[in-house]
Amino acid sequence: MNLQEWFEKGLTPDEYIHDMSEHKENLLYVLKNFHLSSEEASLIDKVKEANWRVIVLTEDWCGDAMVNIPILLAMAKAAEMDVRMLHRDENLELMDQYLTNGTSRAIPIFIFIDEEGNERAVWGPRAPAVQEMVTNYRSSLPPRDHEDFEAKSREMMEGLVKAYRSDESIWQEIYRSLKTMMAERLY
């Protein structure tokens, strides 16, 4: 399938959010409380002119998707970008074309396409500053074969989700990363 066909196959954001069973409250909280900077009007206008659309590979259990998607949706609304959501696990043929480091099915992945369905940009699964934060958290975990690894890992993920929901500086890092990628592709 080409990207246009994948886009047409996707759910609207409203359909995706309606069907969510995990992280729905957190995603809606970020969506309600994140606001674009008015300083970005020229970039938003450029995105609008380009008439990009976005395919999002995601799953509702993913904490990164929970925080990244609302930022994207705020930008998409301002730029009148059409967004379609695809569940990663039901669309591995597409997911496997966008592996992180060539091996990982990390999500979310945002695939920006033009009117003809050509890929214009790809973003995900994390903003660089957020990746650095996660890497630092992970470095404090015991080795995988340690008896406390599972409990400590779960504890770390719960802490991350809490930070993703409440720490607006994380939202701004995601926003900055998306803006930078878009600006590089549009100017």
Side-chain angles (χ1 to χ4, degrees):
M1 279 201 300
N2 64 34
L3 290 174
Q4 179 62 34
E5 291 171 311
W6 287 108
F7 180 84
E8 291 168 4
K9 180 181 174 182
L11 301 169
T12 67
D14 287 344
E15 291 168 333
Y16 172 78
I17 292 168
H18 178 269
D19 292 344
M20 287 180 75
S21 60
E22 295 183 54
H23 293 306
K24 184 176 185 172
E25 266 184 51
N26 291 335
L27 183 142
L28 291 172
Y29 178 86
V30 176
L31 186 59
K32 179 182 177 198
N33 291 287
F34 173 76
H35 304 287
L36 298 181
S37 163
S38 58
E39 300 163 13
E40 306 306 327
S42 64
L43 175 62
I44 295 299
D45 288 344
K46 272 281 201 209
V47 174
K48 194 183 295 188
E49 285 172 31
N51 204 21
W52 281 2
R53 295 167 296 149
V54 189
I55 300 167
V56 177
L57 287 162
T58 187
E59 291 289 347
D60 70 349
W61 48 257
C62 176
D64 289 298
M66 178 268 303
V67 69
N68 290 322
I69 288 172
I71 311 298
L72 171 70
L73 292 178
M75 295 178 80
K77 182 177 181 181
E80 299 174 11
M81 264 190 305
D82 210 358
V83 179
R84 291 294 181 271
M85 320 292 271
L86 292 170
H87 291 280
R88 177 195 73 178
D89 297 344
E90 296 168 14
N91 297 281
L92 294 178
E93 180 185 341
L94 180 61
M95 179 69 242
D96 287 348
Q97 295 175 49
Y98 294 94
L99 299 175
T100 300
N101 299 324
T103 59
S104 175
R105 291 179 173 156
I107 52 176
I109 298 294
F110 302 158
I111 307 163
F112 296 83
I113 61 175
D114 62 20
E115 294 173 90
E116 289 80 42
N118 299 307
E119 179 186 299
R120 306 311 293 166
V122 176
W123 186 93
R126 293 187 182 109
V130 177
Q131 179 61 51
E132 187 176 322
M133 180 184 81
V134 171
T135 300
N136 289 339
Y137 279 9
R138 282 191 177 142
S139 70
S140 67
L141 290 175
R144 283 191 179 277
D145 59 356
H146 191 277
E147 65 185 37
D148 292 338
F149 177 79
E150 288 299 321
K152 295 287 186 190
S153 183
R154 199 171 23 261
E155 196 176 290
M156 180 200 80
M157 292 308 296
E158 288 168 5
L160 270 176
V161 167
K162 197 178 273 187
Y164 284 174
R165 177 189 164 110
S166 60
D167 187 343
E168 293 186 23
S169 69
I170 293 173
W171 304 353
Q172 290 304 317
E173 285 299 331
I174 295 163
Y175 182 39
R176 187 174 4 270
S177 177
L178 278 164
K179 288 185 308 188
T180 300
M181 178 276 304
M182 288 179 178
E184 289 171 355
R185 301 299 176 152
L186 288 166
Y187 293 102

